[in-house]
Amino acid sequence: MEGKEQSYGENDAFVIEPRGIEHIPEDQRYGKVRKLFNVWFASNLHLSVWTIGALGITLGLNFIGALTSILTGTFLGAVVVGLSVAMGPKLGMPQMPQSRASFGYHGNFVPAILSWLNFLGWFTVNNILGGLAMKEALHVPYLVSMLIISLVTIVLALYGHNLIHGFERIMTWVVGLIFLVMTFVMLAHHGQTGAIPHHNSPVVWLTEFTVMFSYAVGWSPYGADYGRYLPQTTRIRGPVWITTFGLFISIAWVSVVGAALAAGFNGAAPITLIGKTMGWFSVVAYVGLALGSMSSNVLNIYSGSLAALTFGLPLKRWTSAILIGGVSIVLSLIFSSEGKAVDFLQNFLLFLVYWVTPWFGVQAVEFYINKRTRIDNVLDFYRPRGPMAGIRWKGLGSFIIGFVVSIPFMASAIYTGPIGHALKGADISYFVSGIVAGGLYYLFTISERRSRRASLHLARPTVDQ
């Protein structure tokens, strides 16, 4: 465990969080479950969500088809994230270190590095789109606007947990109200629905469904990071449903608006569309989009810094946050356009998220069925040579097999497997990998569960009859 134990309470928003991935003792827990809503709501009010919502229309769905695929895919993905967030209060530690119980201390480097790449990439995409929006608002060069939102976001993440929660609470109201006005104004100005030929092909519907599911479920590796300070007595259902509704409402709202406008304006680019429809309010709208990107990116930097510590980067949390922010600024310059470069990066990130569901399948079995992570000494998670040392092949092997088995089912802009091709681009690999990995891990750990139950039974005090 890194660092010295320091006092850090609920009112210390402008105190740099002293902890990295350390366990939070029960006597230093605080907060209410409802604050989780702000984190997951505000972090999805931005252009990336708009564009994936419009995708279904672009592929050929009509508005009803796009609507139903968006709602179902988003809801299922949000529930998975809620189940991840609920692990935080029980263990009092961030998300990625928790899977050391099933992958081993060093075996867990694999998902930790993959999650770090995921955080880094999404920061870059959102930073570019936010920088372009701020450029339109301030009429300054892209470099200036991008650096403004980058540096402010890095500072927020540097201060850590409490300031992030405070910022997201403010953005819930500020950006939420801006998006509400944008929604009414743009839908009032939309063109004739049906400018693009539309139909409700089951395959296209499934394609949009999996895109929405993959985006939502991609938040799972972040989950427990923002709930780990809550009291251990927090009931699991609270974080699950508050998180689910926060994610679902924001992603569904912005995506459905994107789909409706794509249908009405023949797929026009969001930044161009705002300038054409919003009039004097367009400046406020662009600022709102930039703030929405920051709300998302502060989570990318913060969780990225925790993931880096999980795979052994020899830095403090705040210096790790500066590192990921600096690398992202460089990438935001390299991919500095709203065109093909950003599209490629976004496609790559949607491809990268393939690892999330097999990881979650293993992690869910470990936490909700095996329950070792809720019983064993939490300090064992931090001992490189302790009970979780090395690689636990039951977990890592299940993860790898689940991923490999799902490859033929994949259908993305980067790679399409034979089954994904036969299904004409419908991608069900996320479900295949999660079910296979979780199922295998459940089977591989049957004997361990039996041994644990037997030892717990023997440990119970007897009662004289």
Side-chain angles (χ1 to χ4, degrees):
M1 298 182 57
E2 63 170 56
K4 297 179 180 180
E5 198 65 57
Q6 300 179 40
S7 175
Y8 183 69
E10 189 169 12
N11 297 320
D12 294 328
F14 293 99
V15 174
I16 293 178
E17 183 183 3
R19 299 184 181 91
I21 59 174
E22 298 96 327
H23 171 252
I24 314 300
E26 179 60 23
D27 62 356
Q28 296 181 41
R29 308 282 193 93
Y30 53 83
K32 302 293 185 183
V33 174
R34 61 176 179 267
K35 71 179 183 179
L36 294 171
F37 180 89
N38 300 316
V39 171
W40 304 111
F41 179 83
S43 57
N44 289 285
L45 301 176
H46 54 82
L47 283 173
S48 295
V49 181
W50 185 328
T51 57
I52 60 174
L55 180 64
I57 301 295
T58 305
L59 293 174
L61 290 176
N62 65 22
F63 179 70
I64 297 301
L67 175 68
T68 55
S69 60
I70 287 170
L71 296 181
T72 52
T74 300
F75 181 76
L76 287 177
V79 170
V80 172
V81 181
L83 291 169
S84 296
V85 174
M87 300 175 189
K90 295 303 178 186
L91 284 170
M93 55 194 292
Q95 191 72 62
M96 293 315 300
Q98 294 181 19
S99 46
R100 287 171 175 169
S102 46
F103 289 81
Y105 190 96
H106 296 97
N108 195 46
F109 283 12
V110 174
I113 291 171
L114 289 171
S115 65
W116 187 84
L117 292 172
N118 188 64
F119 303 144
L120 181 67
W122 277 116
F123 180 98
T124 302
V125 168
N126 294 330
N127 207 42
I128 291 170
L129 296 175
L132 291 169
M134 188 65 81
K135 172 187 173 184
E136 296 294 328
L138 302 180
H139 301 289
V140 296
Y142 166 76
L143 175 61
V144 174
S145 62
M146 183 271 291
L147 285 176
I148 289 173
I149 66 171
S150 296
L151 294 176
V152 173
T153 306
I154 291 170
V155 170
L156 290 168
L158 186 152
Y159 274 88
H161 181 272
N162 289 344
L163 187 57
I164 289 172
H165 274 280
F167 177 71
E168 301 292 5
R169 182 174 64 252
I170 295 170
M171 290 302 102
T172 292
W173 290 101
V174 173
V175 184
L177 288 173
I178 292 173
F179 255 94
L180 187 63
V181 175
M182 289 169 59
T183 300
F184 281 115
V185 173
M186 285 190 288
L187 292 181
H189 284 80
H190 75 77
Q192 293 298 315
T193 301
I196 305 173
H198 294 104
H199 53 82
N200 277 340
S201 161
V203 171
V204 178
W205 187 95
L206 187 58
T207 300
E208 176 67 357
F209 165 83
T210 53
V211 167
M212 297 307 305
F213 174 81
S214 66
Y215 174 81
V217 83
W219 286 107
S220 296
Y222 304 65
D225 300 354
Y226 306 95
R228 72 189 196 278
Y229 279 88
L230 291 171
Q232 190 175 18
T233 53
T234 301
R235 300 179 70 176
I236 285 176
R237 67 184 184 186
V240 170
W241 292 116
I242 290 291
T243 298
T244 297
F245 289 130
L247 271 175
F248 176 75
I249 293 170
S250 59
I251 297 175
W253 176 15
V254 179
S255 298
V256 169
V257 169
L261 293 172
F265 286 97
N266 201 23
I271 288 182
T272 303
L273 191 58
I274 290 169
K276 288 181 177 180
T277 60
M278 300 300 295
W280 66 268
F281 193 76
S282 62
V283 174
V284 180
Y286 287 132
V287 171
L289 290 171
L291 290 173
S293 295
M294 291 169 59
S295 298
S296 178
N297 271 348
V298 71
L299 305 189
N300 284 311
I301 294 185
Y302 183 73
S303 289
S305 67
L306 298 178
L309 299 181
T310 303
F311 65 75
L313 196 68
L315 296 173
K316 297 293 185 182
R317 182 199 59 78
W318 63 272
T319 50
S320 179
I322 292 173
L323 173 64
I324 191 172
V327 173
S328 296
I329 288 174
V330 174
L331 292 175
S332 297
L333 290 173
I334 295 173
F335 293 94
S336 57
S337 77
E338 196 183 4
K340 293 182 178 179
V342 177
D343 289 341
F344 169 78
L345 189 57
Q346 212 159 5
N347 287 330
F348 173 73
L349 291 168
L350 291 172
F351 178 79
L352 187 63
V353 83
Y354 281 121
W355 73 271
V356 171
T357 48
W359 164 81
F360 176 78
V362 172
Q363 181 70 355
V365 169
E366 180 64 36
F367 183 85
Y368 288 104
I369 298 177
N370 293 351
K371 299 184 179 181
R372 283 186 302 186
T373 51
R374 286 194 269 165
I375 297 172
D376 289 345
N377 184 355
V378 75
L379 298 180
D380 290 343
F381 285 85
Y382 299 94
R383 294 170 178 154
R385 295 179 177 83
M388 298 180 189
I391 299 173
R392 291 191 167 184
W393 285 106
K394 291 180 180 180
L396 185 60
S398 299
F399 169 82
I400 293 172
I401 294 171
F403 177 81
V404 171
V405 168
S406 74
I407 291 175
F409 296 86
M410 293 179 181
S412 72
I414 293 180
Y415 171 79
T416 298
I419 298 177
H421 182 75
L423 293 175
K424 299 180 181 179
D427 191 336
I428 60 172
S429 62
Y430 301 100
F431 305 101
V432 172
S433 61
I435 292 170
V436 170
L440 286 175
Y441 190 63
Y442 177 85
L443 294 175
F444 291 159
T445 55
I446 286 176
S447 61
E448 295 177 25
R449 281 193 300 278
R450 288 175 177 169
S451 298
R452 177 173 292 277
R453 291 192 189 107
S455 62
L456 290 174
H457 178 73
L458 291 174
R460 290 172 184 164
T462 58
V463 179
D464 293 334
Q465 300 297 320

